Amino acid sequence: MEKVQIGRVVEFYSNSCLVEIREFKIPCKTPKDQDIVVGDFVEIVPLQDSLEVKGKILNKVQRKTSLKRFHRGKKKVFAANVTNIAILLSPVPLTPKIFIDKWLVLSAAAGIDPLIVVNKIDLTGDEEFKEACNIYESLGIKMFKVSGKSGEGLSDIGRFLENKTTIFVGKSGSGKSTISSKLLGINLKTKELNKSKGVHTTSVSSLYVKDKIEIIDSPGVRDIEIEKFSPDEVLKGFFEIREAALSCKFKNCNHINGVGCNVIDQVSKGNIAESRYNNYISFTNNE
Ligand SMILES: Nc1nc2c(ncn2[C@@H]2O[C@H](COP(=O)(O)OP(=O)(O)O)[C@@H](O)[C@H]2O)c(=O)[nH]1
Ligand SMILES: [Mg+2]
Ligand SMILES: [Zn+2]
């Protein structure tokens, strides 16, 4: 390894990380004065006097996007340069619509494109599940219908995710590991098992690459909270409400009391789903 080179942080532990340069994964210490996370592009130089190949991180390249979570009361970035958030919607266990709405707000706040992956299409979902599919499909959000189990639809989503860096989010049991494993051709489930047995002592975030698909797997996504978003940020995730709100009679309409409120009007006409409206109100009153 010569001089300064740019690599990608593909594995991140608390004190160290692996930086990939071409096909090499080079261990580096995480600098104390810089916040480096999985997905970051970094400049590294070889460490002097070391027998094994090791690198020293000098700088990080400016991030295109960053995903943040609240950690001990502070916002902390946990993944960088994610371009797509794939939200899983599954019939069993049924994904609550509030989970999807939350992630649509988070995607909008981070400037990252969301897509919805309806998984387990080999199972017949109940009415509530079908209703959820209809709501999000009619909002015009990119949607894929797949079965992680049979593999149906996976090649379509694989093609779509080429040249993108994706993070899968979903309730436990919705099929994140199954789908990611099949797309990447590795077994992520086994890895999780290892982690729970303490084989990996610190929680690790990884970026997996297969052909042109990049998938980030990070425990950070579990602690993401919605409560800290401003009403404006929340509204960005509710596109249809944002649009309807433009036609409310009063500029400072709170979309609750109803006088001249076009949002409430559209809800009563069935043009805006009640669940979307209710979640919007609950998110904006949750600061
Ligand atoms: N019937 C059916 N089961 C699935 C499908 N995808 C995943 N599963 C099962 O759902 C369970 C949870 O999957 P997993 O990938 O571990 O979910 P995760 O918790 O989101 O990572 C496992 O028993 C999987 O075999 C699918 O498309 N159809
Ligand atoms: Mg899993
Ligand atoms: Zn209104």
Side-chain angles (χ1 to χ4, degrees), residues 171-178 188-189 192 217 222:
K171 284 282 186 185
S172 175
S174 58
K176 296 178 294 295
S177 302
T178 307
L188 284 175
K189 286 187 175 180
E192 274 180 22
D217 182 28
R222 289 181 216 130

Side-chain angles (χ1 to χ4, degrees), residues 248 253 255 261-263:
C248 289
C253 182
H255 319 306
C261 177
N262 184 48
V263 172

Side-chain angles (χ1 to χ4, degrees), residues 17-80:
C17 57
L18 288 181
V19 175
E20 188 166 277
I21 295 181
R22 279 169 254 118
E23 68 273 32
F24 300 106
K25 286 184 183 161
I26 298 151
C28 297
K29 260 200 172 156
T30 316
K32 292 225 162 54
D33 54 341
Q34 290 191 53
D35 69 316
I36 304 282
V37 296
V38 72
D40 264 322
F41 289 95
V42 290
E43 288 179 357
I44 68 170
V45 286
L47 264 192
Q48 297 297 322
D49 309 323
S50 81
L51 292 175
E52 338 151 55
V53 184
K54 275 188 186 167
K56 181 175 159 54
I57 295 178
L58 300 177
N59 280 308
K60 69 167 179 284
V61 178
Q62 194 180 10
R63 293 169 179 152
K64 291 209 177 83
T65 65
S66 46
L67 273 174
K68 302 179 189 85
R69 67 183 171 122
F70 286 90
H71 187 64
R72 292 181 188 148
K74 277 202 252 167
K75 263 192 185 182
K76 204 174 177 316
V77 176
F78 68 87

Side-chain angles (χ1 to χ4, degrees), residues 76-94:
K76 204 174 177 316
V77 176
F78 68 87
N81 301 312
V82 170
T83 61
N84 292 75
I85 292 176
I87 309 163
L88 262 83
L89 169 52
S90 99
V92 187
L94 179 62

